[in-house]
C-alpha cells in the first residue's frame, strides 16, 4: 500500500478484543511495508555499524604505513557512506508511509464505526473521548507502527556490532556485550509509572476537550444567561490540570532520557579506560581501541530507538485500547451476541409492520402512529431502538421485555407479532433490523432525534441526501412550514443570490432559531421519503399554530407510508391514526387520542400535565369536557 493508493478500498475487520491485539492486527496488515522498512533500516544501520571498523582499519593502516590498506579503507568508507545515505532516505520514506497508512486505516475504521452507530456512539462514549481517539490516539498508534521496523533494524545492528567486537577485540567486546543489554533494559522498571502518568494526562486532556466542545456548542445559551465567564473559568481550570499532568509525565520521560544518556556515557568511559590499559599493556592495537570507542559511540544512535519503541508502545497501547473499545461497539447488544452471518439477510418486502418486541409497540404499515411516553429519556431511547440502535443498559427496554412486551398484542392489534423472547431487536416485516446491512436498514427506517444537526453549506446541499425521489424539496419545505425560514435565509444571503436554495446555512445552523432549525431538519427527513419515518418531538420548538399546520402537513405528505411520532402534544396526537401509551417500559394502552383522553388516566396525566391531585379531583370534569367537544365537532 502506497500513500497514493489511500484511502483503503476496504480497511478490513479489526481485532478489537484488546489494544495489543489491535496493534498486532495492524502490523499483520502491513507486513509488506514493514519488511521494506526493515530492509532499508538494516542497510542504514549496517553502514553505521561498519564505520567504527573502517576507522579502526584506517588507524592501523596509518600506523603500519600501508598505502594499499588505506586505499581499501577509503573505498570502504565511500561504500559505507552511500549505504548510510540511501538507507536513511529510504528508511524514512518507508517508515513514514507505514505511519500514514496505519493512521489512515484506523481513521477509516473509526469513520465507518461512527457512520454505523450514528448518534448512539456519543451516548456510549463521551464526545471528547471520540475526538481524542480520532486525533491524538490515531497519531500515537501510527507512531508505534512506524517505529517497529526501525527498532528491529537497530536491534540487528546492535547485535552485529557486539558480535563484531567480540571477534575484532575480544577483551573490549565482552565489556560492550555486557553493557549494552544493561543500558537497553535499564528503563523498563520506569515504564509502567511513565505510562500511568501519560494515561492521566490523556484522560484530563479528553475531559478538557469535551468541556471545550460543550462550551462552544452552548455558547449562545451561555451568553444569554451570563454564564460564559463561568464556563471559561472551568475550562481554564481543566487546561491547567492538563498542563500539570503533562509536566509530571514529562519529568518521568526526562528521567528515562537521562538514564539513556548517563549509562551509555558510563560505558564509553569504561571502554576508553579499559582499552587504554590494554593498549599500554600491548594486548590490543591502537586501531582496535579506536574501533571499539567508535562502535560504542555509534551505538548511542541505535540505542535511542530502544527508548523510542518503549515510549511508542507505552503511549500507543492505551490509545489502541481506547480505539479498540470504540471499534468493538455494535449496533445492538443482540448483534454482539449473535454469531456472525456469512450470507446477507434479505430486506423485508414493502408494507411490513414495525414491531418492537421489548416494549410491545406495533406501528402498522402505512399508518400514522403517535407514541406517548411520560419519560422524555425513554422516548429518545425508544426512537433509537426503532431505528435499530438500542442503547446499552436501557432499563426501560429491559423492563418492557418482562413486564409487558406483548401488551399491544393482547389488545388485538398486534396478535400476529413475533415472540419477544425469540427476537430481541426491532422487526420490520418480520426481519430484525440489526441483521440487515447498514445501508439497507437506514434506507428503510429513518430516525430524526430531538436535536438534529444541520451541516454548513447551501440549502440545496442540505437536501442532497439519499431519497426515493417521490417527495420534492418544495413539498417537504411546505409541509414543514419553512416559508419564513426561506425568507430569512434569502435576506441574509449575499447580493446576487435569488433562489433560497442557494442561500448558505452557517455551521450547525447557528444563525437560525431553534424552531427554524427543527423545521429544516424535518423537511430534510420528509424529502428522504423512507418506508418508515420515526420523529422524536419534531415540533417541540414551534408555536401551537405552526405545530398544527405541521401536523397536517406530515399526515398529508406521509399518507400511505409508515410514520411514528414520539410526542405529547395534543395537536400532533389528534392527527394520528392511532396513539400508543408507553408506561413502565411497555405498551399500556392503544387507541385514538380522544379515546385515550376519555378512558386512560395515565395518558391524560401525560398529555394534560395533570398532577396526582388534579387527576383525583378533576378527572371527571375533563372527561365530560372531552365528550362535549367530541359531540360539538361531530355535529359540526
Amino acid at each position: 500500500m502506497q500513500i497514493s493508493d489511500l484511502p483503503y478500498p476496504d480497511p478490513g475487520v479489526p481485532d478489537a478484543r484488546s489494544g495489543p491485539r489491535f496493534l498486532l492486527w495492524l502490523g499483520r496488515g502491513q507486513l509488506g511495508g514493514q519488511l521494506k522498512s526493515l530492509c532499508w533500516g538494516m542497510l542504514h544501520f549496517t553502514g553505521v555499524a561498519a564505520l567504527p571498523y573502517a576507522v579502526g582499519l584506517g588507524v592501523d593502516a596509518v600506523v603500519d604505513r600501508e598505502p594499499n590498506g588505506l586505499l581499501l579503507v577509503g573505498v570502504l568508507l565511500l561504500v559505507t557512506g552511500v549505504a548510510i545515505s540511501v538507507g536513511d532516505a529510504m528508511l524514512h520514506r518507508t517508515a513514514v508511509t507505514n505511519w500514514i497508512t496505519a493512521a489512515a486505516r484506523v481513521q477509516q475504521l473509526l469513520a465507518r464505526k461512527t457512520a454505523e452507530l450514528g448518534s448512539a456512539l456519543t451516548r456510549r462514549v463521551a464526545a471528547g473521548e471520540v475526538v481524542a481517539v480520532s486525533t491524538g490516539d490515531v497519531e500515537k498508534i501510527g507512531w508505534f507502527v512506524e517505529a517497529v521496523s526501525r527498532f528491529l533494524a537497530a536491534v540487528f545492528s546492535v547485535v552485529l556490532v557486539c558480535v563484531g567486537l567480540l571477534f575484532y577485540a575480544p577483551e573490549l567486546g565482552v565489556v560492550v556485550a555486557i553493557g549494552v543489554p544493561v543500558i537497553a533494559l535499564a528503563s523498563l522498571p520506569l515504564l509502567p509509572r511513565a505510562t500511568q502518568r501519560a494515561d492521566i494526562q490523556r484522560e484530563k486532556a479528553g475531559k478538557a476537550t469535551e468541556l471545550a466542545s460543550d462550551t462552544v456548542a452552548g455558547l449562545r445559551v451561555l451568553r444569554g444567561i451570563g454564564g460564559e465567564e463561568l464556563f471559561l473559568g472551568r475550562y481554564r481550570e481543566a487546561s491547567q490540570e492538563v498542563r500539570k499532568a503533562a509536566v509530571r509525565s514529562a519529568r518521568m520521560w526526562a528521567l528515562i532520557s537521562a538514564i539513556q544518556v548517563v549509562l551509555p556515557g558510563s560505558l564509553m568511559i569504561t571502554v576508553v579506560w579499559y582499552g587504554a590499559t590494554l593498549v599500554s599493556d600491548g594486548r590490543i592495537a591502537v586501531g582496535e581501541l579506536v574501533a571499539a570507542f567508535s562502535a560504542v559511540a555509534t551505538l548511542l544512535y541505535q540505542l535511542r530507538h530502544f527508548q523510542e519503541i518503549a515510549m511508542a508502545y507505552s503511549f500507543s497501547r492505551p490509545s489502541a485500547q481506547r480505539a479498540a473499545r470504540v471499534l468493538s461497539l455494535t449496533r445492538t447488544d443482540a448483534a454482539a451476541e449473535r454469531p456472525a452471518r456469512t450470507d446477507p439477510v434479505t430486506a423485508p418486502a414493502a408494507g411490513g409492520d414495525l414491531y418492537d418486541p421489548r416494549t410491545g409497540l406495533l406501528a402498522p404499515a402505512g399508518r400514522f402512529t403517535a407514541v406517548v411516553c411520560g419519560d422524555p429519556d425513554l422516548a429518545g431511547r425508544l426512537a433509537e431502538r426503532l431505528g435499530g440502535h438500542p442503547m446499552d443498559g436501557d432499563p426501560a427496554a429491559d423492563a418492557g421485555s418482562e413486564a409487558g412486551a406483548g401488551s399491544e398484542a393482547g389488545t388485538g392489534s398486534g396478535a400476529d407479532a413475533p415472540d419477544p423472547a425469540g427476537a430481541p431487536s426491532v422487526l420490520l416485516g418480520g426481519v430484525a433490523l440489526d441483521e440487515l446491512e447498514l445501508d439497507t436498514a437506514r434506507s428503510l427506517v429513518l430516525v430524526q432525534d430531538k436535536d438534529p444537526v444541520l451541516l454548513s453549506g447551501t440549502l440545496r446541499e442540505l437536501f442532497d441526501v439519499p431519497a426515493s425521489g417521490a417527495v420534492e424539496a418544495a413539498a417537504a419545505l411546505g409541509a414543514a412550514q419553512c416559508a419564513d425560514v426561506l425568507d430569512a435565509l434569502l435576506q441574509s444571503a449575499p447580493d446576487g443570490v435569488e433562489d433560497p436554495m442557494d442561500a448558505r446555512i452557517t455551521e450547525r445552523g447557528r444563525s437560525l432559531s431553534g424552531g427554524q432549525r427543527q423545521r429544516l431538519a424535518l423537511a430534510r427527513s420528509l424529502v428522504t421519503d423512507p418506508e418508515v419515518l420515526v420523529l422524536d418531538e419534531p415540533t417541540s420548538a414551534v408555536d401551537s399554530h405552526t405545530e398544527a399546520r405541521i401536523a397536517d402537513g406530515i399526515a398529508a405528505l406521509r399518507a400511505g407510508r409508515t410514520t411514528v411520532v414520539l410526542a405529547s402534544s395534543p395537536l400532533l396526537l389528534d392527527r394520528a391514526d392511532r396513539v400508543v401509551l408507553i408506561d413502565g417500559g411497555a405498551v399500556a394502552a392503544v387507541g385514538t387520542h380522544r379515546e385515550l383522553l376519555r378512558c386512560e388516566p395515565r395518558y391524560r396525566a401525560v398529555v394534560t400535565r395533570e398532577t396526582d391531585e388534579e387527576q383525583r379531583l378533576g378527572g371527571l370534569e375533563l372527561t365530560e369536557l372531552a365528550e362535549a367537544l367530541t359531540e360539538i365537532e361531530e355535529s359540526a
Side-chain angles (χ1 to χ4, degrees):
M1 173 65 70
Q2 299 295 323
I3 296 178
S4 58
D5 299 327
L6 295 174
Y8 284 92
D10 180 13
V13 180
D15 186 349
R17 289 176 291 177
S18 66
R21 288 179 181 272
F22 181 59
L23 291 174
L24 181 61
W25 177 83
L26 279 177
R28 287 202 307 266
Q30 294 185 208
L31 284 179
Q34 293 288 354
L35 288 176
K36 289 180 182 179
S37 184
L38 177 61
C39 291
W40 289 115
M42 290 172 64
L43 175 64
H44 170 66
F45 286 116
T46 299
V48 174
L51 277 178
Y53 301 105
V55 172
L57 291 175
V59 172
D60 288 337
V62 171
V63 172
D64 297 337
R65 300 180 181 277
E66 296 181 358
N68 293 333
L70 195 59
L71 180 62
L72 179 62
V73 169
V75 174
L76 181 60
L77 287 174
L78 178 62
V79 173
T80 302
V82 172
I84 292 174
S85 301
V86 174
D88 187 32
M90 296 307 297
L91 171 61
H92 179 74
R93 178 185 178 89
T94 53
V96 171
T97 300
N98 290 336
W99 182 88
I100 293 176
T101 51
R105 185 191 293 269
V106 178
Q107 286 278 23
Q108 282 186 252
L109 291 170
L110 291 171
R112 185 174 68 181
K113 181 59 65 173
T114 301
E116 176 186 345
L117 296 176
S119 62
L121 176 62
T122 52
R123 297 188 184 181
R124 299 183 184 189
V125 183
E129 184 81 2
V130 176
V131 173
V133 169
S134 59
T135 53
D137 285 340
V138 168
E139 293 183 2
K140 293 180 177 66
I141 293 171
W143 177 27
F144 175 75
V145 173
E146 172 200 10
V148 167
S149 55
R150 286 204 304 268
F151 166 70
L152 293 177
V155 170
F156 171 79
S157 68
V158 167
V159 173
L160 186 65
V161 168
C162 292
V163 172
L165 280 178
L166 286 174
F167 286 97
Y168 185 71
E171 294 88 347
L172 294 177
V174 171
V175 176
V176 174
I178 294 174
V180 168
V182 173
I183 296 172
L185 301 176
S187 302
L188 288 182
L190 299 177
L191 288 179
R193 182 174 296 181
T195 303
Q196 181 182 14
R197 292 189 179 185
D199 286 344
I200 294 174
Q201 175 195 353
R202 191 249 170 224
E203 180 182 357
K204 291 183 180 296
K207 291 180 179 179
T209 302
E210 183 176 358
L211 181 60
S213 62
D214 290 344
T215 302
V216 172
L219 191 58
R220 191 173 184 178
V221 177
L222 291 175
R223 286 176 175 171
I225 63 176
E228 182 179 3
E229 286 301 324
L230 175 62
F231 274 79
L232 288 176
R234 291 181 181 177
Y235 179 72
R236 291 189 190 99
E237 292 177 2
S239 62
Q240 287 301 312
E241 290 293 329
V242 175
R243 181 187 62 80
K244 293 176 183 177
V247 170
R248 293 185 72 249
S249 178
R251 286 173 180 169
M252 184 57 65
W253 288 111
L255 177 59
I256 293 175
S257 299
I259 292 174
Q260 293 297 322
V261 172
V262 171
L263 292 183
S266 301
L267 179 61
M268 290 182 62
I269 294 173
T270 302
V271 168
V272 171
W273 173 77
Y274 184 55
T277 303
L278 294 177
V279 170
S280 62
D281 293 341
R283 298 165 59 183
I284 63 172
V286 175
E288 293 175 334
L289 173 60
V290 173
F293 173 79
S294 301
V296 174
T298 55
L299 279 180
L300 298 180
Y301 173 60
Q302 288 94 321
L303 288 174
R304 285 209 306 268
H305 293 84
F306 285 69
Q307 178 187 358
E308 181 191 20
I309 196 64
M311 293 180 64
Y313 182 73
S314 298
F315 281 103
S316 65
R317 182 187 57 78
S319 295
Q321 184 65 44
R322 286 184 286 268
R325 184 163 65 90
V326 173
L327 295 174
S328 64
L329 297 175
T330 56
R331 290 166 56 193
T332 64
D333 296 334
E337 299 172 358
R338 186 184 301 120
R341 298 180 63 102
T342 56
D343 55 324
V345 179
T346 304
D353 296 341
L354 183 69
Y355 178 70
D356 177 20
R358 288 195 176 182
T359 60
L361 172 64
L362 176 69
R367 301 186 67 185
F368 184 176
T369 301
V371 181
V372 176
C373 299
D375 181 5
D377 292 334
L378 172 59
R381 292 194 297 267
L382 179 58
E384 292 291 341
R385 272 193 57 75
L386 294 178
H389 302 281
M391 299 295 95
D392 291 333
D394 185 351
D398 296 338
S401 62
E402 299 175 1
S407 299
E408 188 173 352
T411 65
S413 60
D416 298 330
D419 178 18
S425 65
V426 172
L427 306 176
L428 178 61
V431 178
L433 285 179
D434 64 350
E435 290 187 357
L436 295 172
E437 292 291 333
L438 182 61
D439 293 341
T440 303
R442 291 208 170 157
S443 65
L444 293 173
V445 181
L446 173 66
V447 178
Q448 177 180 307
D449 58 20
K450 294 178 183 177
D451 300 309
V453 176
L454 301 180
L455 301 179
S456 59
T458 65
L459 194 58
R460 195 181 307 280
E461 292 170 342
L462 178 69
F463 284 87
D464 185 16
V465 292
S468 67
V471 178
E472 297 292 335
L477 288 166
Q481 300 298 308
C482 293
D484 63 315
V485 184
L486 300 180
D487 292 339
L489 289 174
L490 198 56
Q491 289 177 4
S492 61
D495 295 338
V497 177
E498 299 179 355
D499 189 347
M501 296 298 291
D502 295 326
R504 293 194 65 81
I505 301 173
T506 57
E507 181 187 1
R508 301 178 70 91
R510 298 188 191 281
S511 60
L512 304 174
S513 67
Q516 291 174 328
R517 290 196 299 269
Q518 193 175 59
R519 282 178 282 159
L520 279 181
L522 175 60
R524 178 180 58 186
S525 299
L526 293 173
V527 162
T528 61
D529 188 39
E531 182 173 335
V532 180
L533 177 61
V534 180
L535 304 172
D536 186 7
E537 295 287 356
T539 58
S540 60
V542 300
D543 60 80
S544 58
H545 297 289
T546 305
E547 184 178 30
R549 293 194 294 268
I550 290 175
D552 291 334
I554 294 175
L557 197 62
R558 293 287 300 172
R561 307 288 270 171
T562 306
T563 307
V564 181
V565 177
L566 292 95
S568 59
S569 169
L571 294 171
L572 274 175
L573 298 174
D574 195 42
R575 267 70 171 182
D577 298 325
R578 63 201 302 270
V579 179
V580 180
L581 173 64
I582 302 291
D583 185 57
V587 172
V590 181
T592 65
H593 167 62
R594 301 186 185 189
E595 291 172 352
L596 294 177
L597 197 62
R598 286 195 303 266
C599 307
E600 181 54 60
R602 290 173 294 181
Y603 177 83
R604 189 166 59 245
V606 174
V607 174
T608 63
R609 276 68 170 179
E610 279 185 343
T611 64
D612 294 338
E613 186 66 18
E614 288 171 338
Q615 284 189 58
R616 186 177 65 83
L617 298 177
L620 180 60
E621 289 80 355
L622 285 172
T623 302
E624 293 174 349
L625 178 60
E627 292 175 351
L629 289 174
T630 302
E631 292 176 359
I632 293 172
E633 291 184 357
E634 288 176 351
S635 62

